[in-house]
């Protein structure tokens, strides 16, 4: 495991004078001193020893317990400590054991610390990640099949976590996985294994493109992530993956108001698509771009595109594009051309399906509700617009993403026009919308 022990404790305890085991404090301080003396950032050092930055950070913070022998050994060797870090760790372990023998179950001062020793989720995750990292570092020229299978399972799990977990947390996990994949790809690999690693790295870069755009509204970063994802998909020689990336690039271009580029990229995505999910996504991206370009005839034609029946097991979580998501996007496209009746039909159908089958997908449900509010305003039905947004306005700020903020700005603009500009209820609602946007993932 990454750490020999840990405790459930007050995060502010160290700032309030918590006593740390002296031997452990010296170990953490020496690791930090040697790293800084070498002119290395934590990320630099993590890359050299084959761990993530988080492990280095935790090793330099003694409140988290004694780092593992493997981690300290790697730090000792890389930082040229000549065995001193290993010896300091042994002294910290000895001090810990002596304290326990003396009858102290809690090795740190008890201020802000619970009596019982526990293993929180973060520690379990850290330990599992370190075990996986060890196996990956010892694969040699060709990685063991089990290592590749572990990676693939991790990449698929990330796709699901993107729909449910805290955006900032899941993005950090994705960065860690991407960095590990890049490290492995920088070493000689058998061609067939390299292609699998390229495909996984492409997916993770695609996740980060989505996060940069839809979570945080950073379109230049999203474009860079997606561009790298495309290069990796080419190296992987994976047609459906290329289709997915082209659709992501279309979405990024769309939200950057480059609608012509968005339409071209979506057309390419549709040409490459093989599965029902891939075709649905490409159709949705193309329809939205055509709506913004004002090409209504082409929009209606692409909306009627026949969908294949086949799916792929790798299409899960954020990668899977469902029929209900296509309904949602078509609703948005018809909203933008002012066809509120058809837009309402698509959006209400999508909302019912999502809340019945994918209630955890809060990001998509949010934008559906806000698009429906815009439809209701188009019908001059203020009360219906207010009602459909009530669950959105009650969301915690950690789930208030860029997609919601964009749509709220559109609603806010609509409220400045007739017949809402002089309406007291509309003004009160506008204040609620303003309050929402002051506390988001982006704004803090």
């Amino acid at each position: 495991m990454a750490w020999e022990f840990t405790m459930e404790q007050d995060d502010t305890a160290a700032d309030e004078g918590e006593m740390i085991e002296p031997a452990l404090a010296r170990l953490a301080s020496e690791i930090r001193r040697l790293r800084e003396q070498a002119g290395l950032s934590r990320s630099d050092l993590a890359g050299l020893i084959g761990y993530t930055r988080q492990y280095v950070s935790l090793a330099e913070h003694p409140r988290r317990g004694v780092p593992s022998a493997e981690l300290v050994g790697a730090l000792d060797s890389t930082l040229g400590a000549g065995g001193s870090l290993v010896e300091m760790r042994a002294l910290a372990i000895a001090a810990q054991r002596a304290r326990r023998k003396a009858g102290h179950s809690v090795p740190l001062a008890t201020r802000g610390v619970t009596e019982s020793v526990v293993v929180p989720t973060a520690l379990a995750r850290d330990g599992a990640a370190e075990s996986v990292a060890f196996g990956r570092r010892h694969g040699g020229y060709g990685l063991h099949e089990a290592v590749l299978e572990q990676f693939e399972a991790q990449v698929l799990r990330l796709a699901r976590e993107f729909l449910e977990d805290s955006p900032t947390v899941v993005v950090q996990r994705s960065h860690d996985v991407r960095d590990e994949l890049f490290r492995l790809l920088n070493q000689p690999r058998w061609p067939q294994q390299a292609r699998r690693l390229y495909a996984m790295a492409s997916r993770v870069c695609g996740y980060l493109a989505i996060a940069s755009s839809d979570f945080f509204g950073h379109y230049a970063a999203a474009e860079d992530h997606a561009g790298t994802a495309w290069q990796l998909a080419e190296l992987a020689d994976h047609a459906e993956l290329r289709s997915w990336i082209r659709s992501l690039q279309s979405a990024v271009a769309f939200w950057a108001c480059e609608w012509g580029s968005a339409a071209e990229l979506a057309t390419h995505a549709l040409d490459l698509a093989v599965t029902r999910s891939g075709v649905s996504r490409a159709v949705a991206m193309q329809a939205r771009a055509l709506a913004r370009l004002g090409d209504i005839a082409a929009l209606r034609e692409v909306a009627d595109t026949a969908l294949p029946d086949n799916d792929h097991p790798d299409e899960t979580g954020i990668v899977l594009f469902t029929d209900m998501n296509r309904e949602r996007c078509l609703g948005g496209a018809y909203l933008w051309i002012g066809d509120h009746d058809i837009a309402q039909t698509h959006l209400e159908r999508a909302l019912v399906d999502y809340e019945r089958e994918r209630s955890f997908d809060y990001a998509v449900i949010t934008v559906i509700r806000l698009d429906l509010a815009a439809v209701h305003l188009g019908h001059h039905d203020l009360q219906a617009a207010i009602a459909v947004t009530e669950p959105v306005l009650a969301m915690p700020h950690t789930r208030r993403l860029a997609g919601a903020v964009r749509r709220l700005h559109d609603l806010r603009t609509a409220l400045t026009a007739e017949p809402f500009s002089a309406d007291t209820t509309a003004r009160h609602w506008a204040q609620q919308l303003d309050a929402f946007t002051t506390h988001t993932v982006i704004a803090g």
Side-chain angles (χ1 to χ4, degrees):
M1 286 177 54
W3 267 256
E4 299 295 327
F5 64 88
T6 189
M7 261 143 297
E8 188 178 66
Q9 54 193 15
D10 183 350
D11 287 338
T12 64
D15 296 330
E16 296 175 356
E18 180 189 56
M19 297 292 293
I20 304 297
E21 177 62 53
L24 180 56
R26 286 194 295 272
L27 171 62
S29 178
E30 183 65 2
I31 292 171
R32 185 184 305 110
R33 186 190 71 79
L34 290 172
R35 174 180 61 79
E36 292 174 349
Q37 179 178 287
L40 298 171
S41 68
R42 288 171 179 164
S43 296
D44 293 335
L45 179 55
L48 291 173
I49 64 175
Y51 286 75
T52 65
R53 184 188 62 80
Q54 182 187 28
Y55 291 121
V56 176
S57 177
L58 293 176
E60 295 181 358
H61 288 82
R63 281 199 310 135
R64 295 303 299 272
V66 182
S68 69
E70 184 197 3
L71 175 57
V72 173
L75 290 167
D76 190 287
S77 175
T78 301
L79 294 173
S84 64
L85 294 181
V86 174
E87 182 177 351
M88 292 173 75
R89 178 185 180 277
L91 291 173
I93 291 290
Q96 174 187 316
R97 289 172 179 167
R99 184 181 292 273
R100 287 173 177 169
K101 286 181 180 179
H104 298 284
S105 61
V106 181
L108 306 182
T110 57
R111 183 176 184 178
V113 183
T114 62
E115 295 269 336
S116 61
V117 177
V118 298
V119 182
T121 301
L123 181 65
R125 186 182 293 275
D126 290 346
E130 188 176 38
S131 296
V132 171
F134 176 84
R136 291 169 186 165
R137 288 196 306 277
H138 292 76
Y141 186 81
L143 290 172
H144 193 282
E145 178 66 19
V147 172
L148 292 171
E149 289 177 355
Q150 268 187 330
F151 252 124
E152 287 167 339
Q154 195 171 12
V155 171
L156 290 176
R157 185 168 65 246
L158 276 174
R160 295 188 291 270
E161 290 174 346
F162 257 88
L163 301 181
E164 303 179 51
D165 285 6
S166 165
T168 52
V169 170
V170 76
V171 167
Q172 183 58 57
R173 289 179 199 157
S174 297
H175 275 289
D176 290 343
V177 173
R178 181 206 59 182
D179 292 349
E180 182 72 4
L181 285 164
F182 283 178
R183 187 186 70 80
L184 291 175
L185 282 166
N186 280 331
Q187 302 172 12
R189 296 294 168 205
W190 299 115
Q192 64 271 29
Q193 291 188 341
R195 283 194 294 272
R196 289 171 69 178
L197 290 170
Y198 284 133
M200 288 184 275
S202 175
R203 286 184 181 278
V204 177
C205 286
Y207 300 163
L208 293 171
I210 294 171
S212 297
S213 174
D214 291 358
F215 288 6
F216 309 124
H218 295 311
Y219 305 115
E223 185 177 2
D224 289 343
H225 281 305
T228 300
W230 173 258
Q231 292 176 330
L232 293 166
E234 288 276 77
L235 291 167
D237 193 22
H238 195 303
E240 191 63 24
L241 186 55
R242 285 195 289 257
S243 174
W244 180 59
I245 300 301
R246 279 299 193 228
S247 288
L248 298 186
Q249 290 176 310
S250 174
V252 172
F254 178 86
W255 290 117
C257 300
E258 299 171 0
W259 298 315
S261 294
E264 291 177 5
L265 288 164
T267 298
H268 192 195
L270 186 57
D271 291 340
L272 292 167
V274 176
T275 66
R276 185 180 188 89
S277 175
V279 172
S280 290
R281 181 185 296 103
V283 164
M285 298 304 105
Q286 197 171 26
R288 296 198 308 179
L290 291 169
R292 288 303 196 188
L293 291 169
D295 195 340
I296 297 175
L299 161 59
R300 296 187 190 281
E301 181 179 353
V302 75
D304 291 332
T305 300
L307 302 176
D309 292 328
N310 58 313
D311 288 313
H312 192 280
D314 286 351
E315 292 174 324
T316 185
I318 202 169
V319 177
L320 178 65
F321 200 89
T322 61
D323 289 352
M324 65 186 85
N325 203 2
R326 184 174 62 93
E327 289 280 351
R328 189 264 303 185
C329 290
L330 290 177
Y334 282 108
L335 168 64
W336 294 323
I337 64 171
D339 195 332
H340 296 121
D341 290 334
I342 295 181
Q344 184 169 351
T345 298
H346 283 293
L347 291 168
E348 288 181 342
R349 189 182 299 155
L351 183 60
V352 168
D353 289 344
Y354 265 100
E355 293 193 328
R356 181 182 64 243
E357 300 178 25
R358 297 171 68 89
S359 59
F360 55 83
D361 201 344
Y362 69 91
V364 174
I365 290 173
T366 296
V367 299
I368 294 172
R369 285 186 170 275
L370 295 176
D371 282 348
L372 270 173
V375 168
H376 291 315
L377 290 183
H379 286 142
H380 294 173
D381 190 343
L382 179 62
Q383 292 303 322
I386 293 173
V388 79
T389 60
E390 286 179 354
V392 174
L393 297 182
M395 292 172 61
H397 76 271
T398 54
R399 292 192 168 191
R400 301 179 183 186
L401 308 180
V405 173
R406 284 192 298 259
R407 286 165 171 82
L408 281 170
H409 286 157
D410 292 340
L411 292 177
R412 191 67 177 79
T413 300
L415 293 176
T416 63
E418 294 296 336
F420 309 113
S421 57
D423 189 301
T424 303
T425 301
R427 283 201 298 271
H428 177 68
W429 187 42
Q431 291 171 354
Q432 291 181 293
L433 301 183
D434 291 340
F436 181 100
T437 58
T438 60
H439 298 286
T440 66
V441 170
I442 305 167

